[in-house]
Amino acid sequence: MQTSQPTPSIGKTPLVTFIVTYYNLQPQLLDECLDSILALSLNKDEREIIVVDDGSTQSPLEAIQSKLDDITYIRQRNSGLSAARNLGIEASRGSYLQFIDGDDKLNSVVYEHCLDLVRYKDPDIVLFHLTDKEEREVPLSYEGPMEGAEFMRHNNLRASACGYIFKKKTLVNLRFTSGILHEDEEFTPQLFLRAEKVYATKARAYYYRKRTHSITQEDNKKWVLQRLSDTRGVLYRLAEMSDTLPAAEREAMQRRIDQLTMDYLYNVITLTHNGRFLEKCVNELTQKGLFPLPDKDYTQKYKWFRRITSSRQGRRLLCMLLK
């Protein structure tokens, strides 16, 4: 493991640590990502930037030479996104943490709104929106504070770990599960259940790039099966955990489980278009007590999907219609 680390100011705890994960990306994208962080109204004592290189074929250091005094660079053997984020957590000194993928960036002007909530409201989590556009419009309002469980009971949770800034103390011993795809689906609901003060804003503060060959765009059969298998594993672990929670937290987690079950079945249909495989998955969910989907008034999409998938004929129809 290699590190390139600036000397921290004695006695100073940064307000925010930005954990930037990088793996075989165009170095100029990382440079833009770092520019968006450095453009924020945080002085050098208030920010910490950790770049975790997950064993890239070529180090990006040459492309970001001018910024080496502003970052901590850590290079690990290729171990995946979860391990890279976990390493960033262990190395961090900030009171708050923000994850950023190295090819994305912050909409700096909009993100200042989130920083203001951190500075003046002492939140456990500030939840904001991701966008594929560069935005400058700052919202004038926000929701909160509310407990994380309360938020989950009344809202569909957006799982991306890049979509919120959170107090490091809220983690306790929570870390990402290594070796799976879509690890955020397991991490985020557990983090929210630990939070006592959540603020939600409509700020489109995080700019993500749509990459043709990214994990979320790859469509080969092996990847599809791995993605679905990992999602099932997350579902089963969350369901096991839910059984041990107090009533209010169990209700919150149940909504997340129901939503994730719906998303899982939707992905089985759209990624495989295989009726037999769909029925096999439905049978497995039924054995685990996760199907049929419960009759809940979550969203119109949920109610529509629940009704149609409740019958074999409806599921067969969706296999033909959904692309």
Side-chain angles (χ1 to χ4, degrees), residues 230-254:
D230 288 348
T231 303
R232 269 198 316 276
V234 169
L235 269 172
Y236 297 163
R237 289 192 293 275
L238 291 181
E240 261 185 52
M241 186 185 312
S242 178
D243 291 338
T244 67
L245 296 174
E249 293 184 6
R250 186 164 61 249
E251 181 185 350
M253 181 66 86
Q254 190 59 53

Side-chain angles (χ1 to χ4, degrees), residues 59-257:
S59 168
L61 285 179
E62 185 175 348
I64 57 172
Q65 276 289 330
S66 64
K67 298 179 175 67
L68 293 185
D69 287 341
D70 293 299
I71 71 168
T72 299
Y73 175 80
I74 304 175
R75 181 177 172 85
Q76 68 173 17
R77 179 179 297 175
N78 180 241
S79 305
L81 178 60
S82 290
R85 285 176 172 170
N86 288 340
L87 182 57
I89 291 171
E90 298 305 322
S92 66
R93 297 183 300 116
S95 298
Y96 286 83
L97 303 183
Q98 172 69 60
F99 295 113
I100 309 179
D101 293 341
D103 54 341
D104 297 335
K105 61 182 180 179
L106 301 176
N107 282 323
S108 305
V109 173
V110 186
Y111 193 82
E112 290 288 350
H113 170 66
C114 305
L115 286 179
D116 283 345
L117 291 173
V118 166
R119 286 178 173 123
Y120 301 115
K121 298 297 184 181
D122 188 37
D124 293 321
I125 299 175
V126 176
L127 181 68
F128 49 82
H129 286 265
L130 281 63
T131 177
D132 60 355
K133 297 180 176 62
E134 296 187 3
E135 299 276 355
R136 297 183 64 85
E137 184 177 350
V138 181
L140 299 177
S141 61
Y142 54 84
E143 296 178 54
M146 67 195 92
E147 291 186 346
E150 179 188 357
F151 180 86
M152 288 174 63
R153 284 197 300 272
H154 297 99
N155 298 274
N156 282 353
L157 190 63
R158 302 188 297 275
S160 172
C162 294
Y164 47 82
I165 181 173
F166 65 97
K167 188 177 288 185
K168 183 179 179 180
K169 287 182 180 178
T170 309
L171 279 174
V172 192
N173 61 348
L174 177 62
R175 295 296 184 271
F176 291 91
T177 300
S178 293
I180 66 171
L181 298 171
H182 302 288
E183 54 283 304
D184 296 6
E185 299 286 6
E186 185 172 10
F187 178 89
T188 296
Q190 294 182 74
L191 180 68
F192 268 71
L193 287 184
R194 287 164 161 79
E196 296 180 0
K197 290 175 67 177
V198 174
Y199 288 83
T201 170
K202 293 182 179 179
R204 299 183 181 276
Y206 186 100
Y207 173 80
Y208 71 92
R209 301 180 195 270
K210 293 181 178 180
R211 291 186 290 130
T212 304
H213 299 294
S214 69
I215 287 177
T216 54
Q217 297 293 330
E218 198 68 48
D219 60 359
N220 65 75
K221 184 176 180 180
K222 180 180 178 182
W223 176 85
V224 166
L225 293 176
Q226 181 68 48
R227 175 181 177 182
L228 296 175
S229 174
D230 288 348
T231 303
R232 269 198 316 276
V234 169
L235 269 172
Y236 297 163
R237 289 192 293 275
L238 291 181
E240 261 185 52
M241 186 185 312
S242 178
D243 291 338
T244 67
L245 296 174
E249 293 184 6
R250 186 164 61 249
E251 181 185 350
M253 181 66 86
Q254 190 59 53
R255 175 167 181 152
R256 182 60 197 154
I257 291 169

Side-chain angles (χ1 to χ4, degrees), residues 295-311:
D295 186 5
K296 297 286 186 178
D297 192 22
Y298 294 146
T299 63
Q300 283 299 119
K301 179 182 177 181
Y302 175 87
K303 291 188 288 185
W304 170 84
F305 191 85
R306 184 193 66 80
R307 284 197 297 268
I308 294 181
T309 56
S310 63
S311 69

Side-chain angles (χ1 to χ4, degrees), residues 246-296:
E249 293 184 6
R250 186 164 61 249
E251 181 185 350
M253 181 66 86
Q254 190 59 53
R255 175 167 181 152
R256 182 60 197 154
I257 291 169
D258 296 340
Q259 181 188 353
L260 190 56
T261 302
M262 178 185 74
D263 292 343
Y264 167 70
L265 289 173
Y266 180 86
N267 286 329
V268 169
I269 293 167
T270 57
L271 293 176
T272 72
H273 293 286
N274 186 320
R276 287 186 179 179
F277 182 68
L278 174 60
E279 292 309 312
K280 177 175 178 285
C281 295
V282 165
N283 288 336
E284 289 178 359
L285 291 175
T286 302
Q287 291 172 15
K288 292 287 185 176
L290 298 172
F291 191 88
L293 292 168
D295 186 5
K296 297 286 186 178

